[in-house]
Structure formats: C-alpha cells, structure tokens
C-alpha cells in the first residue's frame, strides 16, 4: 500500500513541478540581480488517498487535490509516515532539486513540508531542508555589490522591486545568521533617503520594508520568546516563555523590533497601529528601556521642538506612538488657539500620524451645530477655534494638510468615524460660502464606505444655506459622497424649476450610477422620481424626465 501511495505522491510532485515550470522563470529572475530563484517552499498534503502539492497553505493557484484511479483511501499509520513515506519523499525531492541547480525555478534554499492525515490524527512535519550553496554564494555577492553601488555610492532613486528582495534578504538568517541590526537599519534608512523625492514611490519602498520586517518579527523573532495564539478578528495573544531569556535588550534583534514597531505606527494605515503597539509592548516585556520610553514620550524620531511647545498661552505635547496631541489652553484667547493650530500643522508635515486625536484641557466646552458628531476633545477643539473668524483661513490651511483618505480621528468610531480635517471643514462650510470649494475637495476624498458623518453635515448645510445657485455645486458634491441612509427634507426645494435646471447642469458628466445615487437620496429611487415626473406638467415635467433619463441610462 505504501509503495502505491508513494508513487501517487511522486506523481503529484511531478505535476506541481510541471505547473510551476510553465512560465518564463529565467525572464522573471532577470528583473533584478537580487533574485536567484523563484520558489522556496512546497507543501504536500495527504488525507485518505487525496493528494495535493501547493506553494503554501494559502495557495489558490497550484493544482488542487487529486483523486487518482485505483488509489488507496486507507489511513496511514504514524510509523508508515515517519519511517517509510517521508524518507522516500525527501530522497525524491532532493533528486528533483539537484536536477534544477542551474535553473531560476528554485531559490537558493527550499523547504519541503508534509501534512498527513493518519490513524491517530493529523501531523505536519518538515520533509527536506535544501540549500544550494552555489546560488547562496552568488546571491551574497550580488547583495554586497548592490548595497555598495546602488545605495552607499548611490545618488538616484532605486526600484521598489529591488527593495522587496533586499529587505527580505537582509532579514534572512539563512543568508545572514549574525544579524547586524544597526547596518540593516542604516540600509533601510538609505533606501528611503534616495527615494524621498517621489512621495508615492517612497511610500511603496516603505511598504516593502515594513512588510519584510513584520514578517521577520512575527515568524522568526517573537516565536523565540513568546507562545503565540490567535484570537478572534486575527488578534494574537503573547505569553512570555519563562525558560528563554534575551541576552541584551538594547542591541541586536530588539532594535529591529523597535524599528519595525515605529515604522508601522508612522507609515502604515491607522488600522495597523495596534500591531505596532503590540510589538512595542512585547519589547517592554523583554526589558527594553527604549521601548518603555517610546510608550511614554513617543518614538523620538521627531525633533523635540516639533513634539513639544509651551508658553504663557498654551502647552502642546505630541506622542506619535499613541497618535495623541495634548493641548492645554492657559488663556482662552485667539492667540492660544492660533499657536495650537500652528503646532498641529507642523506635526502633520513631519510624518506624525494623520490618524490622531486631541486631548484638550479648556474651560470652554462647545461643539459644532451638527447633530450626530462625536463629542470628543478633537471636536471641541475645532469648535472652539471657529469662534475666532480671523483664524478661519488658518483652519482651512490645517484642513488641507490633515485631509487624507482612509485615515480617521482616533477618538471616533462606528457611524461617528470621520476623516482628519472633518470638523474644520464642517465648521467653515457652515460659516461662509467662501469655503464651499474646501467642502467639495473634502467630499472628493471621503471614503463613504467607512464614514457617514458627511450625511450629518449635509443636513446642517442645507438648513444653513438653503438650495440655490450658490449652494447647488457643493450640495451635489455632498450628495454624491453621502450614503444611502442620508435623510434630507429638501425635495420640494429641489423640484423648483430653477433648482432643477441647476441640478441638471451640475450632474452633467456624472456616471449613470452616480446620478441614480443622488436621485435615491433626494426622492427615494428612480421609481418614485418617475411617479413625480408623471404628475408634473410643462417644463417641470421635461426637466424631471431629463433627470430620470440621466439616472436610468
């Protein structure tokens, strides 16, 4: 029986090699000198005669489970798996890999795992750890050359693909068993320095670096010192291993852990910050003094004058780790708020997290006249600033710095989520039509799938300014980026002929589904608009029919 099963497993392995070989592997590897091979992992699974070989446990592209004619569906014993199956598979795979030594199909190292359903349950075990010493030496030379010529002596931007491979190589203990954390960090910093001229490209390089670091922390470093269990919503619980101690808390791998945590907090989206904080907490548990200081004072990557300001008017303190700005108003005066706004604007231009919150100490407690907004310290701060008209231009400057899609004020959640800059934009939009253009720019950046406070503003907007020639452009922007749950009592006003003409003019150029969305908010759907149009007469009927046509395509 085992001979038959082994033959079937070998046939599946051959099929997998045929599958991954059906591509221009040499062309792929030539994209960068930092790639000597493509594949470095395979997993064979066996359960009651069903066999599959894939690139990883989450591989959805490789050939799927096979049911071979005449195969045995019996369960194997653990003795058969360990003493007969895996040694033979290891020998077979070794021969396959030896035959591919000069091919870019296989990386310098290759790990072959097996997962077997046995009579006593399931077992997953390594079958073969393979290293091509020639490719390894070749790769090490290429890495050294790249660092010397492209980074240390480099003066021009580098390619994100190169950073993708280099960041993983530097953290690969198979290539560099004695990791030099200081050198690795300096190389990552150099990559960012060379690419700082292009914001989008810099962000791409940072993503490659952070992903490599996060992978190293989660799969290599933390498992040495913590037992890790997954929980609901993909959260992890870490339990410190009592029998393993870290020799130095201030050098080596712990520095890479801190660097990773700070990079996630600074450069990754808001939803990743909890991961960065979790890494910092692990560093504290490992005894890192710097990690404890980061938790209290911030990462230290921003200049002291950027994160702290104090005078007779106000005291401002920022912590980029927790993304908080603490503001204590000593004198309730225009100048106090002006200095606080300048402090925040400078922060946001110095890589401080866009998703942040304000912790405010002030004797004045007021909020914007908009129902549904979170009554938070951040909201209260900007509502207080709105009381000083001479600060309104400064508020617009702040809003344009702060607005960033997929970022959120940290003291809001659920239906009260709002993008940074929201309170300033809403206050200014209600105060004066000179800020209507700001409102329209804000709406264009809103992620309506995860934010609905724009609905509350739109209701307050039409109540404040009405429906007319001055407001129609802004109103259409609000409707376009509002959610289906928006409730407005303006149908009668919109159905006035002058306003219908204005509406038709402003929706010109929009996609059919966008017009349909606006119609749904105003009338409850195209069927209801059709009923209104059928009852109308004269030019009003023609205008409504044109609107209906635009909404139905």
């Amino acid at each position: 029986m085992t001979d038959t099963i082994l033959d079937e497993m070998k046939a599946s392995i051959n099929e997998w090699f045929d599958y991954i070989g059906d591509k221009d592997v040499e062309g792929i590897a030539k994209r960068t000198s930092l790639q000597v091979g493509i594949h470095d992992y395979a997993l064979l699974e066996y359960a009651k005669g069903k066999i599959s070989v894939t690139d990883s446990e989450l591989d959805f592209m490789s050939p799927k489970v096979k049911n071979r004619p005449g195969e045995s569906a019996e369960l194997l014993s653990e003795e058969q798996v360990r003493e007969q199956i895996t040694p033979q598979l290891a020998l077979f795979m070794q021969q396959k890999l030896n035959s591919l030594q000069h091919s870019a199909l296989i990386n310098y190292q290759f790990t072959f795992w097996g997962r077997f359903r046995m009579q006593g349950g399931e077992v997953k075990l390594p079958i073969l750890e393979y290293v091509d010493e020639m490719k390894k030496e070749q790769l090490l030379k290429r890495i050294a050359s790249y660092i010397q010529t492209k980074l240390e002596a480099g003066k021009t931007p580098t390619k994100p693909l190169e950073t993708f491979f280099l960041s993983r190589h530097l953290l690969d203990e198979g290539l560099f068993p004695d990791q030099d954390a200081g050198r690795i960090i300096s190389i990552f910093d150099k990559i960012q320095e060379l690419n700082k001229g292009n914001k989008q490209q810099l962000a791409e390089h940072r993503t490659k670096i952070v992903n490599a670091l996060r992978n190293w922390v989660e799969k290599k470093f933390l498992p040495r010192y913590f037992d890790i269990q997954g929980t609901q919503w993909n959260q992890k619980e870490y339990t410190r291993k009592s029998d393993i101690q870290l020799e130095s808390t201030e050098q080596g791998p712990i520095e890479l852990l801190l660097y990773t945590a700070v990079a996630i907090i600074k450069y990754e989206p808001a939803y990743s910050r909890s991961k960065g904080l979790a890494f910092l907490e692990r560093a504290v548990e490992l005894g890192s003094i710097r990690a404890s200081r980061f938790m209290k004072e911030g990462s230290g990557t921003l200049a002291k004058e950027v994160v702290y300001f104090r005078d007779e008017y106000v005291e401002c303190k920022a912590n980029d780790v927790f993304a908080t700005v603490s503001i204590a108003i000593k004198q309730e005066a225009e100048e106090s708020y002006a200095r606080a706004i300048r402090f925040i604007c400078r922060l946001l231009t110095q890589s401080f997290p866009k998703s942040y919150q304000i912790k405010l100490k002030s004797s004045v407690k007021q909020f914007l006249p908009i129902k549904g907004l979170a009554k938070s310290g951040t909201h209260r701060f900007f509502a207080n600033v709105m009381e000083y008209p001479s600060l309104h231009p400064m508020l617009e400057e702040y809003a344009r710095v702060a607005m960033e899609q997929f970022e959120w004020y940290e003291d809001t959640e659920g239906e009260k989520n709002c993008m940074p800059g929201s309170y300033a934009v809403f206050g200014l939009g209600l105060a004066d039509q000179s800020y209507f253009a700001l409102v329209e720019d804000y709406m264009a950046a809103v992620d309506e799938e995860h934010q609905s406070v724009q609905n509350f503003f739109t209701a307050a907007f039409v109540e404040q300014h009405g429906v007319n020639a001055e407001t129609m452009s802004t109103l259409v922007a609000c409707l376009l980026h509002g959610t289906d749950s928006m409730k407005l009592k303006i149908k009668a006003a919109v159905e006035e002929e002058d306003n219908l003409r204005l509406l038709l003019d402003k929706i010109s150029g929009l996609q059919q589904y966008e017009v349909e969305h606006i119609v749904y908010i105003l009338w409850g759907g195209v069927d209801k608009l059709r009923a209104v149009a059928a009852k109308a007469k004269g030019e009003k009927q023609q205008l409504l029919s044109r609107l209906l046509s635009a909404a139905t395509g």
Side-chain angles (χ1 to χ4, degrees):
M1 181 187 72
T2 55
D3 288 343
T4 301
I5 294 173
L6 271 169
D7 288 342
E8 292 165 356
M9 289 179 175
K10 291 175 183 179
S12 292
I13 292 171
N14 283 329
E15 279 190 19
W16 181 73
F17 273 105
D18 290 341
Y19 170 76
I20 65 173
D22 189 21
K23 62 184 77 171
D24 182 14
V25 293
E26 301 298 334
I28 293 172
K30 286 180 180 179
R31 296 175 300 169
T32 169
S33 64
L34 297 174
Q35 185 178 17
V36 295
I38 299 174
H39 295 275
D40 58 13
Y41 178 92
L43 171 69
L44 181 143
E45 296 186 84
Y46 176 86
K48 294 185 178 181
K50 297 179 180 179
I51 303 168
S52 69
V53 181
T54 57
D55 283 347
S56 71
E57 295 183 59
L58 296 178
D59 179 27
F60 300 106
M61 299 300 293
S62 294
K64 299 301 177 244
V65 172
K66 303 295 182 183
N67 287 293
R68 300 183 181 282
E71 67 184 354
S72 171
E74 295 184 30
L75 287 172
L76 295 167
S77 68
E78 184 170 356
E79 180 182 3
Q80 288 173 315
V81 169
R82 294 187 180 276
E83 297 184 8
Q84 299 177 47
I85 299 294
T86 56
Q88 289 297 318
L89 289 178
L91 180 61
F92 181 76
M93 181 60 82
Q94 180 76 48
Q95 293 170 345
K96 294 289 294 185
L97 295 174
N98 287 342
S99 69
L100 295 167
Q101 278 185 323
H102 302 293
S103 169
L105 188 65
I106 302 300
N107 203 357
Y108 88 90
Q109 64 176 353
F110 189 91
T111 305
F112 183 38
W113 282 78
R115 179 187 285 128
F116 303 92
R117 175 77 67 175
M118 308 179 307
Q119 293 172 7
E122 183 179 282
V123 64
K124 181 181 178 183
L125 69 164
I127 297 174
L128 177 67
E129 299 263 349
Y130 171 86
V131 176
D132 186 326
E133 294 294 342
M134 182 185 69
K135 282 185 179 179
K136 178 180 177 180
E137 188 63 28
Q138 181 185 49
L139 181 56
L140 285 170
K141 289 180 180 179
R142 291 183 181 183
I143 293 170
S145 175
Y146 179 85
I147 292 173
Q148 182 180 5
T149 59
K150 293 290 187 71
L151 299 181
E152 293 176 344
K155 298 184 183 299
T156 58
T158 56
K159 297 178 180 179
L161 182 66
E162 296 168 343
T163 297
F164 171 84
F165 284 105
L166 181 62
S167 58
R168 279 156 176 75
H169 293 334
L170 293 176
L171 296 165
D172 183 350
E173 296 174 6
L175 292 171
F176 301 99
D178 299 318
Q179 290 179 327
D180 185 342
R183 177 164 171 74
I184 293 172
I185 291 171
S186 68
I187 291 172
F188 288 161
D189 287 344
K190 182 64 174 179
I191 292 171
Q192 295 176 72
E193 180 185 341
L194 289 173
N195 293 282
K196 64 183 180 181
N198 185 316
K199 183 179 179 181
Q200 182 176 351
Q201 187 161 311
L202 175 60
E204 192 171 350
H205 282 277
R206 282 174 172 164
T207 296
K208 308 296 186 190
I209 291 170
V210 171
N211 285 344
L213 284 164
R214 184 192 289 112
N215 185 66
W216 171 80
V217 169
E218 293 184 326
K219 294 185 178 180
K220 298 294 183 181
F221 181 68
L222 289 183
R224 296 174 194 162
Y225 305 100
F226 296 90
D227 291 319
I228 305 172
Q229 288 187 330
T231 61
Q232 192 176 16
W233 311 116
N234 201 30
Q235 298 296 312
K236 289 183 171 61
E237 290 183 353
Y238 299 86
T239 304
R240 182 79 162 87
K241 294 178 179 179
S242 59
D243 56 335
I244 300 179
Q245 299 300 319
L246 187 67
E247 294 182 2
S248 173
T249 60
E250 290 301 313
Q251 304 200 3
I254 195 74
E255 292 301 312
L256 281 176
L257 175 62
L258 295 179
Y259 186 83
T260 305
V262 172
I264 291 172
I265 291 167
K266 288 184 64 176
Y267 304 127
E268 293 291 279
Y271 55 77
S272 296
R273 182 168 295 118
S274 61
K275 178 74 70 176
L277 291 174
F279 289 173
L280 277 181
E281 290 167 355
R282 302 294 78 74
V284 171
E285 289 185 57
L286 291 172
S288 171
I289 297 172
R290 288 188 64 212
S292 297
R293 188 165 65 247
F294 285 0
M295 299 288 278
K296 294 178 181 178
E297 302 174 6
S299 68
T301 58
L302 298 174
K304 185 175 180 180
E305 60 269 21
V306 173
V307 298
Y308 186 74
F309 175 81
R310 179 181 180 180
D311 65 7
E312 67 273 19
Y313 287 96
V314 66
E315 181 176 9
C316 303
K317 184 177 182 180
N319 185 313
D320 59 342
V321 170
F322 290 104
T324 57
V325 179
S326 299
I327 299 176
I329 303 296
K330 297 181 178 180
Q331 299 182 40
E332 288 296 335
E334 177 182 304
E335 185 59 28
S336 300
Y337 288 97
R339 297 184 185 195
I341 294 172
R342 282 194 289 268
F343 177 83
I344 298 171
C345 285
R346 187 177 183 186
L347 270 178
L348 296 180
T349 58
Q350 296 290 323
S351 299
F352 189 81
K354 288 291 185 75
S355 292
Y356 75 100
Q357 65 173 301
I358 295 174
K359 295 186 176 181
L360 179 65
K361 289 184 179 180
S362 167
S363 59
V364 177
K365 295 184 179 181
Q366 59 186 6
F367 300 98
L368 297 175
I370 303 174
K371 296 179 180 179
L373 300 182
K375 292 186 176 181
S376 63
T378 308
H379 180 183
R380 188 158 63 93
F381 172 79
F382 290 106
N384 288 358
V385 178
M386 283 301 303
E387 293 300 303
Y388 302 98
S390 60
L391 296 183
H392 289 183
M394 188 180 292
L395 265 185
E396 180 179 13
E397 293 178 17
Y398 158 78
R400 293 195 178 280
V401 170
M403 290 188 300
E404 188 83 33
Q405 193 174 39
F406 310 126
E407 300 286 351
W408 323 96
Y409 281 129
E410 285 289 284
D411 50 5
T412 61
E413 60 182 14
E415 66 174 6
K416 299 181 186 296
N417 263 0
C418 58
M419 182 170 65
S422 294
Y423 302 122
V425 172
F426 293 171
L428 293 171
L430 294 183
D432 195 292
Q433 71 179 56
S434 61
Y435 296 106
F436 285 2
L438 172 65
V439 173
E440 293 176 27
D441 291 342
Y442 169 89
M443 292 296 170
V446 161
D447 172 24
E448 53 266 28
E449 290 187 9
H450 298 94
Q451 175 182 310
S452 60
V453 291
Q454 64 272 24
N455 295 0
F456 307 140
F457 167 75
T458 303
F461 177 82
V462 294
E463 184 177 345
Q464 176 75 10
H465 299 294
V467 180
N468 49 59
E470 288 73 29
T471 62
M472 185 58 74
S473 177
T474 306
L475 176 58
V476 168
C478 293
L479 294 171
L480 188 59
H481 298 285
T483 71
D484 288 344
S485 62
M486 184 186 295
K487 296 179 181 179
L488 298 175
K489 297 179 180 180
I490 59 172
K491 187 174 67 170
V494 173
E495 288 179 6
E496 294 177 7
E497 291 183 13
D498 287 344
N499 287 331
L500 282 173
R501 293 190 193 93
L502 290 169
L503 178 60
L504 285 166
D505 178 63
K506 297 304 178 184
I507 66 169
S508 176
L510 294 182
Q511 297 293 321
Q512 175 267 325
Y513 71 89
E514 293 176 317
V515 180
E516 184 180 9
H517 175 66
I518 291 173
V519 166
Y520 181 85
I521 293 176
L522 292 176
W523 282 276
V526 292
D527 288 340
K528 292 184 178 180
L529 175 61
R530 185 177 289 109
V532 172
K535 295 179 181 179
K537 297 180 179 180
E539 186 175 0
K540 181 177 180 179
Q541 184 183 53
Q542 295 177 8
L543 295 170
L544 289 170
S545 297
R546 285 172 55 193
L547 180 60
L548 182 63
S549 177
T552 56

